[in-house]
Amino acid sequence: MDFHGKVVWVTGASSGIGEATVKEFASCGADVVIHYCHHQEAAINIEKFIQSHYHVDTLLVQGDISNEEDVKRMLNTVLDKFGQIDVLVNNAGIAIDTTFEDKTVDNFRHTLDVNLIGTFLMAKYVGDVMCKQKMGRIINIASTNGIDTVYPESIDYDASKAGVISLTKNLAIQYAPYVLVNTVAPGWVNTPMNQELDPEMIRDEEKKIMVGRFASSEEIAHVVVFLASDQASYINASVIRVDGGFYV
């Protein structure tokens, strides 16, 4: 797939699915905006990797996507450099793993602020730019936890991802016909977020997956890049499960 001349902004691009996605777009010729919130060194290393492997332009932006002023500041930085945004991948997110009994209102609210409100803010401001361009793609990263894979230990995360799926459908209506808005809903993925899971839990979960393993971040990135490509020009307001087949 060819993304030469395109500008792609990936949030939460300093590790995991975001890192794999921004590298995949760069390998296809896109100029990339690498967003991070806390992990500056990791983001810098990713930018160095891309610059040494691909003939594309890059930009690092730092900010809290749940903070409206940060979002507007980052957007202005991106537009000052590139003058356009063709693809937005809303990947940034958090999960606060605790028992149900230890869930707090503050943690629940923080999860919603980043995963749901942050996705809304990014889509709101970047989507406005795309509408003025009369073209664009927004791909939100949700989770099968927002559909039918539920764990009381992640009730806050699950609710936030269900909200992202609902948000996607509303955004697709709001921005029609110029901007296509879709969601990728991964199942279990080998990301830093999941590296500290109990090995026995991992084995139990793998037994529920038809292909018998967790996904790699690159396998999710492939689907994201496809949705941003010309080959996906008639896919809109859709939720694409990427979970290896899960025995619900």
Side-chain angles (χ1 to χ4, degrees):
M1 283 172 273
D2 185 2
F3 285 88
H4 286 85
K6 302 292 186 181
V7 176
V8 178
W9 186 353
V10 181
T11 68
S14 62
S15 66
I17 293 171
E19 176 183 354
T21 299
V22 80
K23 288 179 177 177
E24 183 77 9
F25 274 112
S27 75
C28 296
D31 295 329
V32 293
V33 181
I34 305 162
H35 163 265
Y36 69 98
C37 186
H38 302 295
H39 302 107
Q40 181 181 41
E41 184 176 355
I44 290 172
N45 288 335
I46 290 165
E47 182 180 41
K48 289 178 179 177
F49 175 89
I50 290 172
Q51 290 175 342
S52 66
H53 285 75
Y54 310 112
H55 297 291
V56 301
D57 206 352
T58 62
L59 175 66
L60 283 178
V61 292
Q62 186 279 334
D64 177 0
I65 62 168
S66 69
N67 183 302
E68 191 166 11
E69 294 307 310
D70 271 14
V71 170
K72 290 191 286 187
R73 172 183 53 79
M74 290 190 292
L75 176 63
N76 289 333
T77 300
V78 174
L79 292 177
D80 284 346
K81 181 175 179 66
F82 292 115
Q84 67 188 69
I85 304 169
D86 301 288
V87 180
L88 170 65
V89 182
N90 278 314
N91 169 74
I94 62 169
I96 302 175
D97 294 322
T98 64
T99 64
F100 179 85
E101 290 75 17
D102 288 336
K103 294 292 178 187
T104 66
V105 170
D106 285 345
N107 283 349
F108 205 120
R109 183 175 289 117
H110 184 45
T111 300
L112 292 177
D113 281 346
V114 176
N115 295 0
L116 183 56
I117 302 302
T119 298
F120 161 71
L121 287 172
M122 289 295 302
K124 173 181 172 64
Y125 286 102
V126 176
D128 182 60
V129 172
M130 290 177 172
C131 283
K132 291 174 181 175
Q133 297 172 169
K134 295 190 176 181
M135 63 82 60
R137 305 288 176 87
I138 297 175
I139 298 108
N140 298 323
I141 305 301
S143 170
T144 54
N145 285 47
I147 305 173
D148 53 20
T149 308
V150 293
Y151 302 90
E153 297 84 359
S154 59
I155 189 170
D156 42 2
Y157 179 83
D158 297 0
S160 72
K161 293 303 186 177
V164 168
I165 291 170
S166 175
L167 183 70
T168 296
K169 297 173 183 178
N170 281 295
L171 289 170
I173 294 171
Q174 177 66 28
Y175 293 145
Y178 301 119
V179 183
L180 303 183
V181 188
N182 292 291
T183 292
V184 174
W188 285 112
V189 184
N190 282 318
T191 65
M193 188 182 293
N194 293 325
Q195 284 179 352
E196 296 182 5
L197 291 174
D198 181 78
E200 184 176 351
M201 178 187 179
I202 292 176
R203 288 191 294 271
D204 289 342
E205 291 302 310
E206 286 177 338
K207 292 176 183 177
K208 302 174 186 177
I209 302 170
M210 295 176 193
V211 301
R213 61 175 176 82
F214 284 15
S216 68
S217 294
E218 289 74 17
E219 287 174 309
I220 309 304
H222 294 328
V223 180
V224 174
V225 172
F226 166 72
L227 286 173
S229 73
D230 291 340
Q231 286 89 337
S233 59
Y234 206 64
I235 301 176
N236 197 22
S238 294
V239 181
I240 311 297
R241 295 182 69 119
V242 190
D243 63 359
F246 199 81
Y247 298 107
V248 179

